[in-house]
Amino acid sequence: MKLLVIGSGGREHAIAKKLLESSQVEQVFVAPGNDGMTLDGLKLVNIGISEHSALIDFVKENDIAWSFIGPDDALAAGIVDDFNAAGLKAFGPSKLAAELEWSKDFAKEIMVKYGVPTAAYGTFSDFDQAKAYIEEQGAPIVVKADGLALGKGVVVAETMDQAVEAAREMLLDNKFGNSGARVVIEEFLDGEEFSLFAFANGDQYYIMPTAQDHKRAYDGDKGPNTGGMGAYAPVPHLPQSVIDQSVDSIVKPVLEGMIKEGRPYLGILYCGLILTADGPKVIEFNARFGDPETQIILPRLTSDFAQNISDILDKKTPSLVWREDGVTLGVVVASNGYPLDYEKGVPLPEKTEGDIITYYAGAKFDENGQVLLSNGGRVYMLVTTADTVQAAQEKIYDQLAKQDTQGLFYRKDIGSKASR
Ligand code: AMP
Ligand code: GLY
């Protein structure tokens, strides 16, 4: 069978590479993808993620069995609805189901209605009312743009002034355009953050290993928020009882609630959680795989991923098999300056062989098609599996020390909280 993955980052590289491992899969296309993916035998398709009708034509002409949708903006634009209307199968939620991600206010309404634990909140489009709420609640407090904002629409304010300023930028200065025309202001939750991913179709769900991302740009969780600078899975110090509690109090009621709302959920449900003194609570839902979490979760899957997704699409029970041993850890290499302005065009080190995987994100061949150059904020990621977090760190950081990373940077402490 032939498959199509939509998106262009490290997440899509990991999805496509895992699909291609299946003996049933002849070819995996990625639209638009990035040049680094071709080193793994993936085929790029020069069509943008918003060109739904061109993508649909491509799928029909090339006899693609189904498509896997990577990014949130494609889901929010209703790509799955358009594919389905054209009689094509796509793995990802409909626009209405993906609202769990593209409107934080909608996600909150669902959580309140179905009793899912989350921070207390208020939603505002009027600045004076937002300010009054902040003054009534006090700091610390969290201000969030309602819509999609490339992971940058959340301000964890330590003081009331910071919170009021964040609300002002979103509501009065239009910092995030329409995405910030409403804000969700919520209680600050204290505790350890982790991510729980599930494959879902209706009330069917299959939990993946837990993961922990590192969102800040620099060591010691300093610097601006990014898309994610490195991650590992599973989180060794999370007891199974916390995972079970998260499934029972969060995953199950949300999926059942979405059916009752007439918005059955198909795809990946990504729960961003904080383990508080009162148990796990939701800080956000995403309607897709995480980046960089996918790159450290999927290498742990030992079953036939293409068959697993075909089965979930057909509402059959997939035989998902995960590695039980060791930890998978990955470090993102980014362009100097990311997440703000950065330079492009730096020559990249050779792709690694053996037990360290290189996943590419912002990577592009030079004009002769010979040398791979940096072409984005996050450029590539090295991933390995070892017995312990510490052993995995050593392997990755030894490899990075051998690479010429001029013009690029990476965090030196991915996984350090867990290895202590
Ligand atoms: P998000 O974009 O929703 O993932 O939020 C970005 C980051 O803000 C999260 O990874 C958390 O570290 C932090 N955050 C979001 N909501 C809260 C909250 N209610 N309490 C504490 N931290 C939060
Ligand atoms: N790694 C965070 C995200 O994908 O949203």
Side-chain angles (χ1 to χ4, degrees):
M1 93 182 124
K2 290 188 272 180
L3 303 174
L4 172 66
V5 175
I6 289 178
S8 61
R11 166 180 54 206
E12 287 75 19
H13 188 172
I15 295 167
K17 184 176 159 81
K18 186 51 89 176
L19 290 172
L20 191 59
E21 281 174 19
S22 164
S23 57
Q24 310 173 54
V25 174
E26 308 150 44
Q27 215 160 49
V28 179
F29 295 94
V30 191
N34 73 70
D35 287 348
M37 296 171 172
T38 61
L39 303 180
D40 278 327
L42 303 168
K43 297 265 182 277
L44 304 189
V45 181
N46 189 17
I47 305 176
I49 64 169
S50 53
E51 297 171 60
H52 297 187
S53 54
L55 289 167
I56 288 168
D57 290 345
F58 177 84
V59 167
K60 287 185 173 163
E61 282 158 18
N62 290 278
D63 200 21
I64 304 283
W66 43 261
S67 303
F68 195 118
I69 317 298
D72 50 359
D73 39 357
L75 297 166
I79 194 167
V80 172
D81 309 71
D82 288 347
F83 272 51
N84 290 346
L88 305 177
K89 283 189 192 174
F91 191 73
S94 65
K95 178 173 182 165
L96 284 179
E99 192 167 0
L100 274 183
E101 174 166 9
W102 59 259
S103 169
K104 293 197 190 286
D105 178 56
F106 174 77
K108 283 291 199 185
E109 278 180 19
I110 292 292
M111 286 188 268
V112 169
K113 190 163 172 188
Y114 297 99
V116 172
T118 186
Y121 80 109
T123 300
F124 303 93
S125 46
D126 178 82
F127 171 70
D128 291 328
Q129 285 176 14
K131 182 164 178 268
Y133 183 79
I134 292 166
E135 284 165 355
E136 187 187 302
Q137 300 294 319
I141 193 161
V142 183
V143 181
K144 302 183 170 185
D146 176 52
L148 297 180
L150 297 169
K152 300 186 178 86
V154 174
V155 175
V156 180
E158 277 156 33
T159 66
M160 282 208 281
D161 283 350
Q162 282 171 357
V164 171
E165 188 49 32
R168 182 193 308 279
E169 283 180 351
M170 292 179 200
L171 292 173
L172 297 182
D173 304 342
N174 269 325
K175 186 168 178 188
F176 297 106
N178 221 7
S179 284
R182 282 196 304 179
V183 297
V184 168
I185 301 180
E186 69 176 29
E187 173 197 2
F188 174 81
L189 297 176
D190 199 16
E192 180 153 2
E193 255 183 272
F194 67 102
S195 307
L196 190 68
F197 293 86
F199 297 102
N201 191 358
D203 60 359
Q204 237 190 345
Y205 61 86
Y206 307 95
I207 303 295
M208 305 186 214
T210 53
Q212 212 162 40
D213 188 12
H214 295 64
K215 291 204 174 170
R216 301 295 192 106
Y218 311 130
D219 288 7
D221 292 333
K222 303 267 164 35
N225 258 320
T226 68
M229 294 298 293
Y232 62 96
V235 185
H237 49 282
L238 269 187
Q240 184 62 37
S241 58
V242 169
I243 300 168
D244 295 344
Q245 200 184 347
S246 307
V247 171
D248 287 344
S249 67
I250 296 163
V251 176
K252 263 169 108 163
V254 166
L255 291 176
E256 283 164 12
M258 292 298 278
I259 292 173
K260 290 188 189 132
E261 298 294 313
R263 304 178 187 221
Y265 194 96
L266 165 70
I268 285 158
L269 180 66
Y270 166 160
C271 310
L273 308 177
I274 290 192
L275 181 54
T276 70
D278 301 330
K281 293 191 179 180
V282 176
I283 50 173
E284 65 167 350
F285 287 119
N286 292 317
R288 52 169 173 88
F289 253 137
D291 188 346
E293 294 95 325
T294 311
Q295 295 91 307
I296 47 110
I297 289 178
L298 283 185
R300 301 189 65 77
L301 185 74
T302 56
S303 50
D304 180 332
F305 188 40
Q307 184 62 49
N308 294 152
I309 297 295
S310 296
D311 286 342
I312 297 169
L313 280 165
D314 292 341
K315 280 228 160 191
K316 292 187 197 145
T317 304
S319 315
L320 289 151
V321 186
W322 300 97
R323 254 182 103 143
E324 297 274 337
D325 63 315
V327 176
T328 304
L329 179 137
V331 176
V332 170
V333 180
S335 299
N336 280 344
Y338 172 75
L340 305 173
D341 286 343
Y342 54 81
E343 270 179 52
K344 296 182 186 175
V346 175
L348 303 184
E350 293 273 293
K351 174 169 155 330
T352 50
E353 301 295 338
D355 60 357
I356 299 181
I357 311 172
T358 305
Y359 291 115
Y360 290 98
K364 188 176 167 46
F365 279 127
D366 69 356
E367 51 208 21
N368 302 319
Q370 300 291 321
V371 182
L372 211 49
L373 305 174
S374 65
N375 187 46
R378 291 188 290 180
V379 179
Y380 67 97
M381 182 173 184
L382 297 187
V383 173
T384 199
T385 301
D387 288 343
T388 61
V389 169
Q390 236 161 0
Q393 282 179 318
E394 267 167 41
K395 265 166 80 178
I396 296 289
Y397 285 119
D398 282 354
Q399 180 66 34
L400 282 167
K402 286 187 217 146
Q403 296 190 338
D404 178 1
T405 52
Q406 236 185 356
L408 307 169
F409 79 102
Y410 54 87
R411 274 182 66 160
K412 311 250 175 352
D413 64 344
I414 300 302
S416 287
K417 273 191 222 155
S419 66
R420 258 189 252 129

